[in-house]
Amino acid sequence: MAKGILLVDDAAFMRMMLKDILVKNGYEVLGEAENGLKAVEKYKELNPDLVIMDITMPEMDGIEAVKEIKKINPSAAVIMCSAMGQQSMVIEAIQSGAKDFIVKPFQADRIIEAVRKVIG
C-alpha cells in the first residue's frame, strides 16, 4: 500500500511540484493545506504517514503546526521545507519535532531521499 502524505505550503505551485515528484515515486498525496491551522485540521482528519510542511505560512507557521501535530500524535512524521538562509528556523523546527528538512528550491532526489529516510 502506498504511504499517504499531507502537503502543507501556502504556495499552490509548491504543493503541485511536490505532489508531482511524490506521485511519480509511488507515494500517495492524501491531502493539501495552505497554512498551519488547516494542516492540523487535515492531520486529524486524514492521519497521514507523513507531513511535508513549509515553515513560513500565514495563520499558523510550520513550527507551531508541528507542535500541535505532535500533541495529537507524538510519533507523527514531519519533514519541514524552508528557503535558504532560515537555519535558525530549521533548528527550531527540528527541536519542535520535525524529523528532517528540505531546502527550497526543491531537488526531486533530495525530497525522495528525505521521505524514504523518514517513512520508507
Side-chain angles (χ1 to χ4, degrees):
M1 198 176 97
K3 298 275 187 175
I5 300 173
L6 171 62
L7 300 179
V8 187
D9 197 308
D10 55 331
F13 76 96
M14 283 297 196
R15 295 195 308 267
M16 199 169 69
M17 273 176 45
L18 277 169
K19 185 175 186 173
D20 189 49
I21 292 164
L22 293 164
V23 170
K24 281 180 179 161
N25 283 275
Y27 294 97
E28 183 184 358
V29 174
L30 297 178
E32 298 180 20
E34 64 274 10
N35 63 52
L37 273 178
K38 291 234 170 46
V40 174
E41 286 170 21
K42 288 268 188 191
Y43 187 87
K44 288 178 193 169
E45 178 191 328
L46 302 170
N47 192 26
D49 296 296
L50 174 67
V51 180
I52 299 179
M53 184 158 38
D54 189 20
I55 289 181
T56 312
M57 296 180 291
E59 307 274 336
M60 179 191 286
D61 68 21
I63 292 167
E64 283 306 309
V66 168
K67 290 175 183 171
E68 290 302 313
I69 287 170
K70 285 288 187 176
K71 285 179 193 169
I72 298 163
N73 177 2
S75 62
V78 181
I79 295 175
M80 301 304 292
C81 304
S82 76
M84 293 295 266
Q86 291 185 317
Q87 280 84 353
S88 63
M89 290 176 108
V90 168
I91 291 164
E92 192 179 345
I94 299 288
Q95 288 169 341
S96 299
K99 302 255 191 246
D100 201 350
F101 68 94
I102 307 165
V103 177
K104 294 177 183 178
F106 298 130
Q107 291 173 311
D109 55 348
R110 174 67 187 110
I111 291 166
I112 297 307
E113 175 194 321
V115 170
R116 286 196 179 126
K117 190 171 98 181
V118 175
I119 61 168

